[in-house]
Amino acid sequence: MTAPVPLPTHAYEDVAKFLRALWRFNRAIGQEFEPLLHERHGTDPRSFFILKSIQGGVQYPKELAGHLKIPATLLSRYLDDLRRRGLIERHIDEQDSRRTRLSLTDAGTALVEATQHTVHEAVGARLARLRPEQLDALVSALLALTDEGSPA
């Protein structure tokens, strides 16, 4: 087994700078975004993204966990809460009775629509600080760093 080749010093600095910026951005968005969702809609960002994903067609728990990169056990707790709150329903899949399909209730759809406006308002205000070409480059770079940016 060979020892890993050390990266040049600037690469370590670049990684540290990137992680610091990512951390600060994530914290800034969370500190602004999460209280707004609680105050205005009685929900949280993770529940919003789960509901939004179901609305977008990711309707099976296993696929949803993979799509959102959430451990299945944690997702299960969120799904139980969303069902208790009357925001989602679980159905036996018509093609495979071993599978559970998720759908939004009317209340779930209404919550997504209302919450989406708040999300757009909060995140849109930050994105407005960027020129269109900066936003395009940022989104492209972030996708390149995720599975979505890798060739199929």
Side-chain angles (χ1 to χ4, degrees):
M1 184 179 277
T2 61
V5 177
L7 296 173
T9 304
H10 75 279
Y12 287 107
E13 291 168 6
D14 289 344
V15 167
K17 186 167 65 173
F18 170 76
L19 291 175
R20 223 178 5 261
L22 189 59
W23 173 264
R24 289 179 58 123
F25 174 76
N26 194 24
R27 296 292 298 159
I29 286 288
Q31 288 172 347
E32 179 180 334
F33 185 52
E34 193 160 345
L36 275 177
L37 293 187
H38 281 290
E39 178 184 314
R40 294 183 184 178
H41 308 288
T43 196
D44 61 276
R46 191 170 282 163
S47 293
F48 167 73
F49 284 112
I50 291 169
L51 292 170
K52 185 73 178 148
S53 296
I54 294 169
Q55 184 183 54
V58 185
Q59 298 179 329
Y60 296 98
K62 184 176 181 179
E63 292 173 5
L64 192 56
H67 176 73
L68 293 172
K69 309 273 189 261
I70 298 174
T73 53
L74 179 60
L75 177 64
S76 180
R77 289 195 300 263
Y78 270 89
L79 293 176
D80 287 344
D81 178 63
L82 293 170
R83 186 189 52 75
R84 274 192 301 275
R85 292 169 53 199
L87 301 172
I88 64 167
E89 293 177 338
R90 296 177 187 217
H91 310 275
I92 301 295
D93 186 69
E94 297 84 22
Q95 272 70 53
D96 185 348
S97 62
R98 297 170 295 179
R99 295 180 75 190
T100 300
R101 186 177 53 80
L102 305 167
S103 65
L104 298 184
T105 63
D106 290 342
T109 300
L111 180 63
V112 169
E113 298 305 320
T115 305
Q116 194 163 296
H117 176 74
T118 300
V119 169
H120 184 270
E121 180 184 300
V123 177
R126 286 188 179 271
L127 294 181
R129 299 176 189 176
L130 301 175
R131 294 186 311 275
E133 62 274 10
Q134 287 177 307
L135 178 57
D136 289 343
L138 175 62
V139 171
S140 294
L142 289 172
L143 289 174
L145 296 173
T146 66
D147 295 339
E148 295 178 44
S150 61

